[in-house]
């Protein structure tokens, strides 16, 4: 009898130890804010079962994680500019963790699990959509028609790759792709917003995650005339280096045509031309022909624009490939928006990574992207734009960049020279600067 009790006790003890060993730990959490939602990410040591539910009066969101243990306090999360007022947590049923988010206002929550990747382990993601902005079933939105006035600006959508929970490639010297791409994208946008006849729209303005489809949807919402996605390449061998430009491959175009046709019944998709062409009232064959024509024209324009950007990049930087490459990247799949993806160098290469962390080098890249796109539209401006009007009248000038620069905090002579694509010697000479880099905040420099 005693032996049997001892065996039973041993089995219970072993089961308890096994339960402890198999418990999933919540190692910590990260919080990201984007224009439409707040994303809360829990790092886990393994997969879990979980559920979430909302409570009202006051507004709360409850997150129950089965068979888990919280190993790190959540009190260090920065809740500023989020709907979360306070985070509380406690052990539940001696085996689970309950996390309660006290909210300033009601939200539309969504949760899902992510499997490990090269950067993170298992994760539980909880998205808190601002009321009225929760994403329903993904659809293909119609492209916004440009304002029906003559002399409109050309809209350039600039997409900084990765962001938030997705850092992209992490390269030599811990350089993060998401930081490099956002810095370059902002620089390109600033150049276009100083250029008469152009307007830039950033798909993301800060460090937050946007899905690939959302990026092209933002471009469509703003009626973009061109979409450029900025990235930094990575490879297992650190010797790989240099810049590349990609446009959509034929295989990618074919798969996207099929996707658009599949969505025809649920969308008022507009393609091509000033007024656009609706697919809603077209039979399958005609819709397929229209889409094919639109994709072919868009690919042709994408390649032309890509070649001009690649040419500008090659004037000051090492190229990985000397011709525009083609691939089936999701962000390039708008049938009526010329699109390109620019790989600004290999972040896994020590020399490229060092340069990509340099402000002056990023400025040179931004200027090359801007110049290539600007020159493309000077050759082929969309109808109804100011650039098209000036070209038809013969009054189009190469550039309307300001010829003066007011020195700001952090500016260096090399940065300013790179921004305006001029030589430092010329900048020194025209402004009478004799010391190596002797400029002062507020000083007005003339640009040669």
């Amino acid at each position: 009898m005693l032996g049997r009790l001892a065996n039973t006790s041993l089995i219970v003890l072993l089961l308890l130890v096994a339960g402890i060993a198999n418990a999933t730990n919540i190692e910590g959490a990260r919080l990201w804010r984007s224009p439409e939602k707040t994303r809360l990410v829990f790092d886990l040591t393994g997969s879990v079962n979980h559920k979430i539910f909302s409570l009202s009066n006051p507004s709360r969101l409850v997150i129950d994680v089965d068979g888990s243990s919280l190993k790190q306090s959540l009190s260090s999360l920065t809740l500023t500019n989020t709907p979360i007022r306070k985070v509380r947590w406690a052990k539940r049923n001696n085996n689970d963790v309950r996390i309660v988010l006290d909210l300033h206002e009601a939200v539309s929550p969504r949760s899902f699990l992510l499997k490990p990747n090269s950067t993170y382990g298992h994760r539980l993601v909880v998205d808190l959509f601002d009321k009225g902005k929760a994403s329903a079933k993904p659809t293909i939105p119609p492209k916004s028609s440009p304002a029906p006035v003559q002399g409109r600006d050309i809209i350039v959508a600039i997409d900084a790759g990765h962001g938030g929970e997705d850092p992209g490639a992490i390269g030599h010297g811990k350089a993060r792709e998401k930081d490099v791409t956002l810095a370059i994208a902002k620089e390109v946008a600033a150049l276009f917003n100083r250029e008469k006849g152009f307007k830039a729209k950033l798909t993301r303005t800060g460090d937050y995650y946007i899905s690939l489809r959302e990026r092209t949807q933002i471009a469509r919402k703003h009626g973009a005339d061109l979409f450029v996605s900025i990235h930094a390449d990575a490879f297992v061998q650190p010797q790989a280096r240099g810049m590349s430009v990609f446009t959509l491959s034929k295989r990618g175009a074919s798969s996207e045509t099929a996707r658009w046709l599949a969505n025809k019944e649920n969308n008022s998709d507009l393609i091509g031309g000033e007024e656009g062409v609706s697919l809603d009232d077209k039979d399958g064959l005609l819709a397929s022909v229209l889409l094919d024509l639109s994709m072919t024209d868009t690919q042709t324009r994408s390649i032309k624009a890509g070649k001009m950007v690649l040419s500008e990049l090659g004037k000051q930087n090492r190229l990985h490939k000397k011709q525009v490459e083609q691939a089936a990247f999701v962000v390039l799949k708008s049938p009526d928006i010329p699109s390109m993806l620019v790989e600004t160098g290999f972040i896994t290469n020590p020399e490229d990574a060092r340069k990509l962390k340099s402000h002056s080098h990023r400025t040179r890249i931004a200027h090359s992207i801007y110049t290539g796109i600007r020159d493309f539209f000077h050759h082929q401006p969309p109808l109804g734009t100011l650039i098209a009007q000036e070209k038809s009248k013969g009054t189009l000038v190469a550039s309307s960049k300001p010829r003066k620069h007011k020195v700001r905090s952090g500016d260096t002579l090399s940065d300013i020279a790179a921004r305006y694509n001029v030589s430092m010697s010329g900048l020194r000479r025209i402004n009478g600067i004799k010391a190596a880099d002797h400029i002062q905040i507020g000083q007005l420099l003339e640009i040669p």
Side-chain angles (χ1 to χ4, degrees), residues 244-248 324-327 329 332 339-343:
S244 308
V245 175
F246 289 84
T247 61
L248 186 62
V324 173
E325 299 183 82
Q326 294 184 297
F329 290 118
L332 301 179
S339 304
M340 72 179 78
L341 185 145
V342 179
E343 295 281 9

Side-chain angles (χ1 to χ4, degrees), residues 309-326:
V309 169
L310 189 67
S311 175
E312 290 297 325
L313 288 169
K315 290 177 181 179
Q316 300 190 57
N317 306 284
R318 177 178 178 141
L319 297 178
H320 182 61
K321 292 290 178 65
K322 294 183 179 180
Q323 67 279 343
V324 173
E325 299 183 82
Q326 294 184 297

Side-chain angles (χ1 to χ4, degrees), residues 32-305:
W32 310 96
R33 177 64 187 168
S34 74
E36 295 186 339
K37 67 176 182 287
T38 299
R39 170 162 286 189
L40 183 58
V41 182
F42 297 97
D43 290 310
L44 311 170
T45 57
S47 185
V48 294
N49 291 319
H50 77 285
K51 65 179 179 180
I52 63 172
F53 57 93
S54 298
L55 298 173
S56 57
N57 297 322
S59 295
R60 288 153 290 163
L61 181 71
V62 179
I63 306 165
D64 284 339
V65 186
D66 298 343
S68 63
S69 177
L70 184 63
K71 293 300 181 182
Q72 184 175 324
S73 170
L74 303 178
S75 58
S76 60
L77 290 171
T78 302
L79 306 179
T80 308
N81 195 34
T82 75
I84 306 173
R85 180 170 54 83
K86 185 180 179 181
V87 182
R88 298 179 284 125
W89 62 92
K91 200 73 176 172
R92 178 173 170 269
N93 299 333
N94 294 320
N95 194 42
D96 308 330
V97 170
R98 168 164 287 183
I99 299 167
V100 179
L101 308 181
D102 295 322
L103 304 171
H104 293 293
E105 57 194 7
V107 298
S108 298
R110 184 184 67 178
S111 66
F112 53 94
L113 295 170
L114 290 176
K115 293 180 180 180
N117 61 21
S118 58
T119 305
Y120 297 110
H122 290 274
R123 285 152 290 159
L124 167 60
V125 179
V126 180
D127 281 336
L128 311 177
F129 287 91
D130 299 340
K131 272 294 185 182
K133 294 184 179 179
S135 60
K137 181 182 177 182
T139 60
I140 306 172
K143 182 182 176 183
S144 297
S145 298
V149 295
Q150 293 297 302
R152 70 171 179 88
D153 290 334
I154 291 172
I155 307 298
V156 181
I158 305 162
D159 173 48
H162 307 281
E165 175 66 8
D166 174 18
I170 299 176
H172 189 79
K174 296 184 178 179
R176 298 189 302 182
E177 184 178 4
K178 68 173 183 177
D179 300 329
V180 168
T181 60
L182 183 60
I184 295 172
K186 285 182 173 180
E187 197 76 41
V188 176
L191 288 165
F192 274 116
N193 286 332
R194 287 201 294 265
E195 179 81 14
K196 183 181 177 182
F198 288 85
K199 185 180 290 182
K201 295 293 182 180
L202 289 163
T203 59
R204 70 175 176 99
T205 57
D207 185 16
Y208 49 85
Y209 175 79
I210 306 176
S211 72
L212 298 177
R213 291 289 181 186
E214 283 180 287
R215 295 168 189 267
T216 54
Q217 287 174 12
I218 291 169
R220 296 184 65 77
K221 182 178 73 174
H222 290 296
D225 296 288
L226 185 139
F227 176 89
V228 54
S229 188
I230 298 171
H231 288 256
D233 223 331
F235 194 62
V236 291
Q237 299 296 331
Q239 292 81 6
R241 59 179 302 196
M243 302 183 186
S244 308
V245 175
F246 289 84
T247 61
L248 186 62
S249 66
K250 289 183 178 180
R251 180 172 58 85
S254 298
S255 66
E256 191 64 10
T257 298
R259 178 176 174 271
W260 275 64
L261 290 170
N263 280 271
K264 183 174 75 74
E265 298 302 323
N266 303 316
N267 297 282
S268 300
D269 302 321
L270 302 178
I271 59 169
E274 281 278 304
E275 303 299 324
V277 177
S278 174
L279 299 182
D280 279 350
D281 58 347
K282 308 296 187 294
D283 64 39
L285 179 60
L286 180 55
S288 177
V289 171
L290 288 172
L291 269 174
D292 186 59
L293 288 171
S294 179
M295 289 293 268
T296 300
D297 178 64
T298 300
Q299 281 183 284
T300 300
R301 289 184 290 154
S302 298
I303 292 170
K304 286 181 179 178

